[in-house]
Structures are given as structure tokens and as C-alpha cells.
Amino acid sequence: MKILVTGGLGFIGTHTVVELVNAGYDPIIIDDLSNSNIKMLDQLARIIGYKPAFYQFNLCNEADVKDFAAKNPDIAGIIHFAASKAVGESVENPLKYYYNNFFSLINLLNAYNGKALNFVFSSSCTVYGQPDVLPVTEDAPVKPAESPYGNTKQIAEEILKDMVAAGSKYKVIALRYFNPVGAHDSALIGELPNGVPQNLVPFITQTAIGKREKITVFGDKYNTPDGSCIRDYIHVVDLAKAHVAALKLMEKENFTGYDVFNIGTGNGSTVLEVIHAFEDATGVKLNYQIGAPRSGDIEKVWGNVTKSTEKLNWTAELNLSTMMASAWAWEKYIAENPL
Ligand code: WQD
């Protein structure tokens, strides 16, 4: 079965393409290459044995989306990753985020409207803000977004729910990711941050390889065991497998409409625990300092993943040490083999 993967050359997209092929699906990639590298197609081919079908265009271009849908009417599902996703940038340039993240989604939904498609949406734990109760469950109140980026995820979920409620033939699953980290065990695909990494783990690996002088821990006075923030880090391969599980669930006759699942490990780790886990997993000592808290950061969040285990039939399997070791193997690979 053909599955359209928008943003399929990105960090999570490439890992999901691998797991789709492993599960016997035929992925078709659309990517505008605004935040990804065309050479990831060759890297994918070295893992799956062939170059997947690839189309380069931005989903905000309605004519391109309609043309693609007319030429590719026989897709069985869509996994929609394509979106702008930098929290800080979204605060500085909200219009870019509302334009890109909504027009791409709406054009896609319009182009295939009326077809009985299984639609997996890339959502985020940012919709919860700072939860009142931890671990956070899917029925926790969605709080006012901390950023325009988080707002686009919240509103996109509402758009999808409203479409289903209006009788659309789409079946929809939104996956609320916690913090995706790590890389495929081949070390041939991984995270390729543009410029200075905003996220913790790529900053750790770039410090370890010598590209960055030191890591700044953004605050150690939080109400947590060691004072640094807590997040639910999940291996990107486990995350990718959750997308296959979502397609499988929607292929079942008894699945109807819309559902949402937390995609995390159910465990929280502090920033300092992640740093020490990296050092223990790799033997590389990290240079870090404690700095001021980062504005917009929430103190602590980790997911209740009972619903994913019981209904999505998916559970994360890889631990923090494996996440760190795989992220390091990728950083070393890309340092020796720049794309
Ligand atoms: C993690 C922790 C930082 C860098 C973001 C997005 C979220 C999702 C995952 C898409 C925080 C601390 C970080 C550094 C640090 N992406 N940190 N020094 O902010 O939890 O989530 O990525 O869905 O939407 O918001 O991830 O990796 O930036 O930060 O101390 O140099 O590491 O303060 O506590 P975040 P992150």
C-alpha cells in the first residue's frame, strides 16, 4: 500500500520511511527541502535498498498539491510531518508558522477529501503546556499554547477533529510526540539541525565532537530532583514505529473517526541526567555550565502512555543510553561523511 509521507526527508520522516518499508508499505515522499537535505534519499536507499519516490514542492502551493493528488489517487494513507517546527523562530515570525503549517495541512486535506484515507498527524506534547498532573494523559486539558508553533499544533488537531465530525471519509490519528532523539542504528540517517542546534541532544553531540565549546544547562533551580528541567525523551526509531502502529489501527474495521495518542516512554529525565547518560554511554566527558532559564521552557513534562500501549498496541522499547549512543554514532558518521 502506498503511503504519502510529507516532510519525509526530515529527521522523523526519514526514520518513519524506514519503518514503513520494514512493515511492507510503499512510501512516497514530498519534501520542499527547506529544512532537510536531498542526500538523505541516498542514505535511505542504503538502508531500504532502493530510492523511494520523491517529489519536491511546498504543500502551501495549492496547484502543486492538486496536481500531485490527481496523479497519485491511489494512496492508502498520509503521514503529515511537513511543518515549520522551531519554537523560538515561531515567536519571532508567527505569520510564517500560521501560513506554512495551516495552508500545507488544508491543501492536503482538500486535495484528497472524499477519499477513505488513513491520516496520521504529527502533533506534539507542547499542546499540554505545563500539565497540572504528571504523567500527562491524552484527556488532560489543552492549555493556551506557549508559542505560535504550539498553537499551530493545537489548531491543526481541531481542524482534523472538525473534518471527521463533518463526515469526512478520513480516519485520523494525531500522535503527540514528546522529545524525539537518537538515530537509526545504521548511523546513516539522523538529525541535521540547521546552524546552532536549539534542541538539547544535538547540542550535546556537537559539543562532544568539538563543534561547540560547551553546553549551557538552561537553569538548575527548578522544582526537580537536580534542579534542571524534566522531559520525556523518546528514541526516534520507537517514534517512527508508532506511525506504523497508527496506520495498522486505522486499517481495522472497528476504528472510526479521530483519536489521539501520547508518544513517549512514560519516563522523565532531567537535563543533567541526559548529559550524564551521554557520558556513561559514550565515555565522552562533556563540558557544560549552568546558565539562566530559557524563556518559554516548561519545568517538567512526561507522558502517560497507557492508552498507546493498550489501544495503539505500541510501546517504546529503547532506553536513554541507547538514545545517547545512537545520537553519538550519527554525529561521528556525519563528521566523517558530510552530506
Ligand atoms: C529540552 C530541555 C531545555 C538546549 C522542543 C519543542 C517541542 C518538540 C521537542 C517538536 C529543556 C534544555 C536545551 C540547551 C538546555 N519539538 N536545554 N540546553 O524545548 O523540550 O521541546 O523539542 O515537536 O515542540 O519545543 O526540547 O531539546 O529544546 O530542550 O538546557 O542547549 O533541554 O531547557 O529543558 P523542548 P529541547
Side-chain angles (χ1 to χ4, degrees):
M1 282 194 276
K2 287 183 179 178
I3 303 294
L4 173 56
V5 185
T6 73
L9 286 187
F11 173 40
I12 303 170
T14 47
H15 286 84
T16 302
V17 165
V18 172
E19 297 310 325
L20 285 168
V21 171
N22 290 346
Y25 291 101
D26 173 14
I28 300 174
I29 296 171
I30 293 176
D31 200 302
D32 69 355
L33 300 181
S34 62
N35 192 20
S36 55
N37 188 316
I38 185 68
K39 292 183 181 167
M40 292 311 274
L41 263 185
D42 298 319
Q43 299 299 104
L44 277 172
R46 293 173 63 182
I47 299 172
I48 61 179
Y50 74 99
K51 263 192 194 179
F54 168 67
Y55 299 82
Q56 180 185 350
F57 63 89
N58 185 300
L59 294 169
C60 291
N61 185 321
E62 187 178 18
D64 285 350
V65 178
K66 285 184 171 174
D67 180 52
F68 176 86
K71 291 173 181 166
N72 297 276
D74 58 342
I75 60 169
I78 297 175
I79 301 180
H80 182 49
F81 294 112
S84 301
K85 63 159 192 166
V87 174
E89 183 192 38
S90 78
V91 175
E92 291 156 19
N93 187 355
L95 202 53
K96 169 183 175 182
Y97 276 69
Y98 290 117
Y99 183 90
N100 190 37
N101 294 4
F102 290 151
F103 276 98
S104 55
L105 174 65
I106 290 165
N107 286 341
L108 196 56
L109 291 170
N110 251 340
Y112 282 99
N113 203 4
K115 285 186 180 292
L117 281 185
N118 296 326
F119 193 99
V120 184
F121 176 63
S122 167
S123 191
S124 170
C125 61
T126 37
V127 303
Y128 297 118
Q130 177 56 66
D132 299 326
V133 177
L134 287 169
V136 62
T137 57
E138 288 87 351
D139 57 3
V142 169
K143 290 194 171 180
E146 310 269 332
S147 67
Y149 160 76
N151 207 19
T152 66
K153 291 299 182 185
Q154 289 180 1
I155 297 169
E157 288 190 10
E158 293 305 314
I159 291 170
L160 291 162
K161 270 193 278 192
D162 289 348
M163 275 204 75
V164 167
S168 158
K169 289 187 180 171
Y170 285 118
K171 291 182 181 181
V172 178
I173 285 180
L175 298 180
R176 290 176 178 166
Y177 307 159
F178 283 75
N179 287 54
V181 298
H184 188 259
D185 59 12
S186 65
L188 292 171
I189 55 177
E191 197 165 4
L192 278 174
N194 276 335
V196 179
Q198 298 303 305
N199 294 131
L200 176 63
V201 173
F203 207 106
I204 284 177
T205 57
Q206 288 193 12
T207 302
I209 203 111
K211 278 178 79 172
R212 308 288 163 204
E213 189 215 339
K214 58 175 172 277
I215 302 154
T216 300
V217 175
F218 297 144
D220 71 341
K221 299 286 183 296
Y222 288 99
N223 180 22
T224 64
D226 60 25
S228 60
C229 291
I230 295 176
R231 296 290 185 275
D232 183 337
Y233 297 91
I234 176 169
H235 198 295
V236 64
V237 172
D238 277 328
L239 178 68
K241 289 177 177 175
H243 295 77
V244 174
L247 289 174
K248 296 287 183 200
L249 179 57
M250 288 189 280
E251 286 161 13
K252 290 181 178 168
E253 281 308 309
N254 61 355
F255 182 95
T256 56
Y258 176 92
D259 211 344
V260 59
F261 295 93
N262 282 342
I263 304 302
T265 63
N267 304 309
S269 302
T270 69
V271 175
L272 289 167
E273 284 169 342
V274 173
I275 287 174
H276 297 319
F278 181 87
E279 292 178 323
D280 295 345
T282 63
V284 177
K285 192 93 181 79
L286 287 170
N287 181 14
Y288 66 89
Q289 66 179 6
I290 304 296
R294 179 171 68 175
S295 68
D297 269 344
I298 59 164
E299 181 175 72
K300 47 194 171 191
V301 63
W302 62 95
N304 180 313
V305 293
T306 306
K307 184 180 174 187
S308 290
T309 302
E310 293 177 353
K311 187 171 180 187
L312 187 59
N313 190 29
W314 167 92
T315 304
E317 296 168 350
L318 301 170
N319 62 24
L320 190 61
S321 178
T322 305
M323 293 176 214
M324 295 300 108
S326 63
W328 180 228
W330 162 250
E331 187 68 54
K332 288 188 289 182
Y333 171 84
I334 207 70
E336 290 152 22
N337 308 272
L339 293 182

